[in-house]
Amino acid sequence: MAVNPTAQPPLGMLAELTHRCPLHCPYCSNPVELTAREAELSTQDWLSVLSQARELGVLQVHMSGGEPLARPDLPELVEHASRLGCYVNLVTSGLGLTASRLDDLVERGLAHVQLSVQGATAERANLLAGARAHDHKLAAAELIRKADLPLTVNVVLHRRNHDQLPGMIALAERMGADRLELANTQYYGWALRNREALMPTRAQLDVAEPIVREATERLRGSMEIVYVVADYYEPYPKPCMYGWGARQLTVAPDGTVLPCPAATAITTLELDNVREKPLKEIWYESSSFNAYRGEDWMSEPCRTCDRRSVDFGGCRCQAFLLTGDAAATDPVCSRSPNRDVVDVILAAPPPATAPDLVMRTVTTR
Ligand code: SF4
Ligand code: FES
């Protein structure tokens, strides 16, 4: 396949080192079928992937999962990426982080930690994580602060924790976070099966917005707050991935290379694997990365829309999951001929009590 002339080198790589995880979050966006430990890339494979990524232009490596601390070779991978000149970020639940492990990671070049938080109180947070995790997270935050590492606290917001929003902001402050990401749930992977139970109500979102605005103002200069809206309620979609194949790639635990972390959802995509092809070839030449790169793939209304360079037609995974066509306009868009799909979901009267959550369990392939 010819190289798409709009292709630029990637800036970041999400390295999903493993799907193994001690938590059972119902909003997990990893695929329903996870990679088994035996199918994970080896240490040597990951070292090669990191070198190839740097050669390709990658400057930021996000080591994620699952829980990346479940990989005993994490320190070696952090050191390698850091020596290559990459900014290395650890995306973690905090479980398994000890003072000695963190010291070692810092010594080897770890530059930043993103720590997930499920709720403001131990009771709620543990319920939502499906594990007694909250106290470990408080301890992990303390270690990160003592190590003087920049900390981002990640909160996934949904119907079952929106009421604790002020408490979660206060918790992030107490943890000494430099940045707080408050992201309403995105419905991919496991999260999609919990959509009805997780979807916040319009009233919850109306309450949240001024709280976030006030905290953003009050904490300006000490803690940055990023609020990711509940896109089903918005008139226009999010600029997902800042465009397909534009800035970032994901390498899944088994070596599958994905144009976005949720792309296994698009069953019509032919995905390549670093075990079989060089990363550079996959980034520039593969059918998966070129499928929705640039604007040529767009049909109406995106093709001639004045917002197409703002939101890139929205999210390909969402388009596929809601319409069966990954090249369709994201149905969240009010200009999409399929917006009714989203409106029907939102119009369904919220049950007096939200349906039970299906906690994340492990089904491997
Ligand atoms: Fe974005 Fe396409 Fe909607 Fe225009 S029609 S706002 S480009 S999703
Ligand atoms: Fe895959 Fe948006 S999540 S393109």
Side-chain angles (χ1 to χ4, degrees):
M1 175 178 288
V3 174
N4 185 317
T6 64
Q8 298 291 327
L11 180 67
M13 176 169 76
L14 182 67
E16 292 182 341
L17 301 182
T18 179
H19 275 153
R20 287 173 280 142
C21 184
L23 305 190
H24 305 280
C25 308
Y27 57 75
C28 180
S29 60
N30 279 339
V32 171
E33 291 210 331
L34 300 176
T35 298
R37 179 201 285 251
E38 312 77 67
E40 289 176 7
L41 292 183
S42 67
T43 307
Q44 284 313 314
D45 290 334
W46 275 115
L47 293 174
S48 163
V49 168
L50 291 165
S51 297
Q52 291 184 58
R54 181 66 199 96
E55 221 163 278
L56 191 52
V58 165
L59 288 169
Q60 299 169 357
V61 175
H62 308 280
M63 298 206 174
S64 170
E67 176 49 67
L69 288 162
R71 290 273 309 210
D73 56 359
L74 179 66
E76 200 178 331
L77 303 182
V78 167
E79 182 170 351
H80 187 68
S82 159
R83 282 210 174 145
L84 290 166
C86 294
Y87 183 88
V88 185
N89 175 30
L90 179 70
V91 186
T92 178
S93 68
L95 272 72
L97 193 68
T98 60
S100 59
R101 285 191 90 181
L102 185 61
D103 286 350
D104 184 35
L105 292 171
V106 171
E107 202 147 295
R108 292 170 188 255
L110 181 65
H112 183 268
V113 180
Q114 277 178 244
L115 181 68
S116 65
V117 161
Q118 280 72 27
T121 59
E123 190 189 5
R124 183 81 63 88
N126 290 342
L127 189 76
L128 291 168
R132 296 170 76 86
H134 193 67
D135 287 352
H136 292 287
K137 288 167 186 283
L138 300 183
E142 180 71 18
L143 294 175
I144 296 161
R145 209 180 47 73
K146 278 195 184 141
D148 216 16
L149 266 189
L151 169 66
T152 294
V153 167
N154 286 347
V155 174
V156 177
L157 292 170
H158 46 80
R159 184 168 170 160
R160 306 296 182 95
N161 68 359
H162 252 281
D163 62 305
Q164 292 202 333
L165 180 58
M168 292 189 285
I169 295 170
L171 176 61
E173 285 182 72
R174 284 201 302 282
M175 285 176 155
D178 301 281
R179 195 164 165 273
L180 168 63
E181 192 176 302
L182 297 164
N184 279 286
T185 306
Q186 309 292 310
Y187 298 100
Y188 311 112
W190 190 271
L192 187 59
R193 61 166 59 176
N194 279 309
R195 184 174 59 198
E196 203 187 348
L198 293 171
M199 184 70 75
T201 62
R202 179 76 256 177
Q204 284 181 309
L205 297 173
D206 288 346
V207 169
E209 274 156 31
I211 293 172
V212 173
R213 220 176 309 123
E214 180 280 322
T216 306
E217 279 307 313
R218 180 171 54 82
L219 297 165
R220 198 177 295 286
S222 61
M223 186 173 84
E224 182 195 356
I225 297 184
V226 178
Y227 183 62
V228 179
V229 296
D231 65 349
Y232 278 44
Y233 284 96
E234 294 293 312
Y236 296 114
K238 55 186 179 274
C240 203
M241 306 302 297
Y242 297 100
W244 186 268
R247 293 193 189 178
Q248 184 155 316
L249 58 98
T250 295
V251 179
D254 66 353
T256 305
V257 186
L258 304 165
C260 101
T264 50
I266 306 178
T267 50
T268 47
L269 272 187
E270 229 176 86
L271 296 166
D272 288 296
N273 193 297
V274 281
R275 285 179 163 134
E276 283 141 25
K277 284 186 188 166
L279 203 55
K280 187 173 181 183
E281 186 181 326
I282 298 174
W283 174 262
Y284 283 109
E285 296 177 34
S286 69
S287 61
S288 59
F289 274 82
N290 283 305
Y292 311 111
R293 197 173 242 155
E295 294 180 356
D296 285 353
W297 58 273
M298 290 180 181
S299 51
E300 295 298 347
C302 295
R303 179 173 276 274
T304 53
C305 179
D306 56 357
R307 287 181 54 88
R308 68 185 185 280
S309 58
V310 176
D311 61 30
F312 316 105
C315 173
R316 296 307 87 226
C317 297
Q318 190 143 271
F320 182 81
L321 290 168
L322 296 183
T323 73
D325 176 7
T329 295
D330 186 334
V332 155
C333 181
S334 49
R335 299 176 189 178
S336 157
N338 295 307
R339 171 70 206 192
D340 58 325
V341 175
V342 173
D343 288 336
V344 165
I345 294 166
L346 296 183
T353 46
D356 283 346
L357 294 170
V358 185
M359 302 304 280
R360 168 94 242 191
T361 53
V362 179
T363 322
T364 52
R365 62 187 146 83

